[in-house]
C-alpha cells in the first residue's frame, strides 16, 4: 500500500511538475510577449494608434461643438436679421399707409380743386354773360342818348328857325344839364366796365391758380403713385429675401442636425469600442492574475510535496 501510495504520489508529482513546467513555459512565453509588446514599437504603435484615435475623436467632438456654437451664432444673427426685416417691413407698411392717406387727401383736394375750377368756369361764364348784358344795355343807352342828341339837335334847329320864341339862358341850362347827365353816364359806365374787367381778371387769376394747383396735385399724385409702386416692389423683394433666408436657415439647421446625429452615433460607437477594448484589457489582466495565482499555488504544492518527501529520508 505504501509503495502504491508512493507510486500514485509520484504520478501526481510528475503531473504537477509537467503542468508547472508547461505553465512556466507558457508564462515565460506570455511574459516575453508582454515584454516584447511593451518594448516593441508595435505595442507602442497600438497604444499610440488608440490614443491617436481618441485624440481625433476629441478633436472631432471639439470641432462639432465649435460648429454647433457657430451655427447657434449664425442662427441668432439670422433671427436678428429677420427681426430687423420685420421691423423694416412694419415701417414700410406704416409709410405705405401714410402714403395712402396722403393720396386720399390729395385726391380729395384734387376733387375740391376740380369743383372750384368748375365753379370758376361757371362764374366766368356768368360774368361774361353779365358783361355782354351790360354791353347791350350800354349800347341801348348809347342809342337812346344818340336819339336824344338827334332830337336835341332837331330842337336846336327848330330853335334856330324860330329865334323869337327861344331864350339863350334856357338853352345853356339845358346843354349844361345834358352834358352833366352825359358825363355821369360815361363815368358810371367806366366804373362798371372797370369793375367788370377787375372781376374778370380776378376770375382768370383764380382759374389759372386752380389750373396750376390741379397740375401740382396731379404731379404730386403721380409722385405718390411712383413711391407706392417702389414700396410695393421693395416689400416683395424683402419678402422674397426673407423666404429665401428662412429656407437657407432651415436647410442649414437640418444639415447641422444630421451632422450632430452622425457625430452622436459615432460617439456612441467609439464609446462601445473603447469599452470593448477596456474590457479586453481587463480580461487579459484577470487572466494574467489567475495564471500567476495558479503558478504560485503549484509552486506551493510542489514545495510542500518536496518537503513532505524529504522528511522520511531525513
Amino acid at each position: 500500500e505504501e509503495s502504491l501510495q508512493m507510486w500514485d504520489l509520484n504520478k501526481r508529482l510528475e503531473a504537477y511538475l509537467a503542468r508547472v513546467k508547461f505553465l512556466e513555459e507558457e508564462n515565460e512565453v506570455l511574459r516575453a510577449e508582454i515584454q516584447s509588446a511593451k518594448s516593441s514599437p508595435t505595442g507602442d504603435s497600438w497604444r499610440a494608434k488608440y490614443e491617436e484615435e481618441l485624440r481625433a475623436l476629441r478633436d472631432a467632438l471639439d470641432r462639432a461643438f465649435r460648429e454647433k456654437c457657430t451655427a447657434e451664432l449664425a442662427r441668432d444673427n439670422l433671427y436678428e436679421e429677420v427681426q430687423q426685416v420685420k421691423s423694416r417691413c412694419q415701417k414700410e407698411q406704416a409709410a405705405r399707409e401714410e402714403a395712402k392717406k396722403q393720396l386720399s387727401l390729395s385726391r380729395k383736394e384734387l376733387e375740391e380743386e376740380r369743383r372750384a375750377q368748375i365753379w370758376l368756369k361757371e362764374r366766368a361764364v356768368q360774368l361774361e354773360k353779365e358783361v355782354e348784358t351790360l354791353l347791350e344795355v350800354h349800347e341801348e343807352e348809347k342809342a337812346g342818348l344818340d336819339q336824344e342828341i338827334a332830337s336835341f339837335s332837331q330842337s336846336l334847329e327848330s330853335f334856330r328857325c324860330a329865334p323869337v320864341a327861344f331864350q339863350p339862358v334856357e338853352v345853356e341850362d339845358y346843354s349844361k344839364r345834358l352834358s352833366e347827365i352825359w358825363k355821369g353816364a360815361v363815368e358810371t359806365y367806366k366804373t362798371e366796365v372797370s369793375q367788370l374787367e377787375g372781376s374778370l381778371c380776378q376770375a382768370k387769376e383764380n382759374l389759372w391758380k386752380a389750373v396750376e394747383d390741379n397740375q401740382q396735385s396731379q404731379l404730386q399724385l403721380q409722385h405718390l403713385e411712383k413711391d407706392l409702386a417702389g414700396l410695393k416692389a421693395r416689400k416683395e423683394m424683402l419678402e422674397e429675401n426673407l423666404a429665401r433666408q428662412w429656407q437657407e436657415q432651415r436647410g442649414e439647421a437640418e444639415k447641422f442636425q444630421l451632422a450632430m446625429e452622425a457625430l452622436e452615433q459615432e460617439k456612441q460607437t467609439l464609446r462601445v469600442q473603447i469599452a470593448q477594448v477596456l474590457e479586453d484589457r481587463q480580461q487579459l489582466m484577470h487572466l494574467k492574475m489567475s495564471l500567476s495565482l495558479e503558478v504560485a499555488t503549484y509552486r506551493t504544492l510542489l514545495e510542500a510535496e518536496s518537503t513532505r518527501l524529504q522528511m522520511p529520508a531525513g
Side-chain angles (χ1 to χ4, degrees):
E1 290 178 358
E2 288 179 356
S3 63
L4 288 174
Q5 287 179 0
M6 289 295 294
W7 183 76
D8 189 13
L9 288 172
N10 288 326
K11 290 291 184 182
R12 289 174 64 186
L13 181 59
E14 288 178 359
Y16 282 133
L17 290 174
R19 180 67 176 167
V20 167
K21 186 178 181 181
F22 174 73
L23 289 173
E24 285 180 351
E25 290 177 353
E26 193 174 11
N27 194 10
E28 290 293 331
V29 171
L30 289 172
R31 189 181 290 112
E33 287 181 356
I34 291 168
Q35 195 67 28
S36 63
K38 286 181 179 180
S39 61
S40 65
T42 57
D44 294 336
S45 64
W46 178 78
R47 186 173 182 181
K49 181 180 178 182
Y50 277 101
E51 287 180 355
E52 187 178 357
E53 287 180 357
L54 287 172
R55 195 179 298 110
L57 290 172
R58 289 193 184 96
D59 293 336
L61 286 174
D62 293 336
R63 191 164 52 251
F65 183 74
R66 287 195 297 271
E67 289 178 356
K68 181 181 177 182
C69 292
T70 307
E72 288 178 354
L73 289 173
R75 184 187 63 188
D76 295 335
N77 292 327
L78 286 173
Y79 181 75
E80 289 178 359
E81 289 179 358
V82 167
Q83 293 297 325
Q84 290 177 1
V85 169
K86 283 184 179 179
S87 63
R88 198 175 298 166
C89 289
Q90 290 176 0
K91 288 180 181 178
E92 290 180 356
Q93 185 73 23
R96 188 173 64 181
E97 294 295 331
E98 187 67 24
K100 284 183 179 179
K101 289 180 181 179
Q102 291 181 0
L103 183 62
S104 62
L105 291 174
S106 299
R107 286 178 178 173
K108 289 180 180 179
E109 290 178 357
L110 181 62
E111 291 294 331
E112 290 177 358
E113 292 293 334
R114 286 178 180 173
R115 291 175 183 175
Q117 185 179 1
I118 292 169
W119 182 80
L120 289 172
K121 286 181 179 179
E122 292 177 354
R123 183 62 179 169
V125 172
Q126 290 178 1
L127 290 172
E128 288 178 355
K129 289 181 179 179
E130 290 178 0
V131 168
E132 290 177 356
T133 305
L134 290 173
L135 289 174
E136 289 177 357
V137 171
H138 175 65
E139 292 293 332
E140 290 177 356
E141 289 179 355
K142 186 179 179 182
L145 289 173
D146 290 334
Q147 289 178 1
E148 288 179 0
I149 290 168
S151 62
F152 181 69
S153 61
Q154 288 178 4
S155 63
L156 286 175
E157 289 294 334
S158 63
F159 287 148
R160 287 176 183 175
C161 293
V164 179
F166 180 73
Q167 293 180 1
V169 179
E170 293 178 359
V171 172
E172 289 177 359
D173 293 334
Y174 185 74
S175 63
K176 287 179 180 180
R177 287 171 61 192
L178 186 61
S179 62
E180 288 175 359
I181 291 168
W182 176 254
K183 287 179 181 179
V186 169
E187 291 294 332
T188 304
Y189 174 72
K190 285 181 180 180
T191 53
E192 289 179 356
V193 169
S194 63
Q195 288 177 0
L196 290 173
E197 287 179 353
S199 61
L200 184 61
C201 291
Q202 187 68 29
K204 286 182 179 180
E205 288 179 359
N206 293 327
L207 183 61
W208 281 110
K209 285 182 180 179
V211 171
E212 289 178 356
D213 293 335
N214 189 10
Q215 290 178 356
Q216 290 179 0
S217 299
Q218 288 180 357
L219 291 173
Q220 189 176 3
L221 181 62
Q222 290 177 0
H223 288 303
L224 289 173
E225 288 177 353
K226 287 181 181 179
D227 293 336
L228 183 61
L231 289 172
K232 285 182 179 179
R234 190 174 180 184
K235 181 186 175 185
E236 292 176 356
M237 183 177 69
L238 288 172
E239 287 178 352
E240 290 177 358
N241 291 328
L242 183 61
R244 186 171 64 252
Q245 287 178 1
W246 272 110
Q247 292 293 331
E248 291 177 356
Q249 185 181 4
R250 189 177 296 172
E252 289 178 358
E254 291 177 355
K255 288 180 182 178
F256 283 124
Q257 187 67 28
L258 293 173
M260 290 296 294
E261 290 177 358
L263 289 172
E264 191 67 28
Q265 291 178 359
E266 189 175 358
K267 181 181 176 182
Q268 294 295 331
T269 305
L270 290 172
R271 282 183 179 176
V272 172
Q273 290 179 0
I274 291 168
Q276 187 68 31
V277 170
L278 292 174
E279 188 177 358
D280 292 338
R281 290 184 67 183
Q282 194 169 5
Q283 287 179 0
L284 288 172
M285 293 295 293
H286 284 301
L287 182 60
K288 181 180 177 183
M289 290 174 66
S290 63
L291 288 173
S292 299
L293 289 172
E294 192 173 357
V295 168
T297 304
Y298 284 140
R299 282 180 180 176
T300 306
L301 289 172
L302 286 173
E303 289 175 358
E305 190 71 20
S306 61
T307 303
R308 191 174 65 82
L309 290 174
Q310 287 175 4
M311 285 177 67

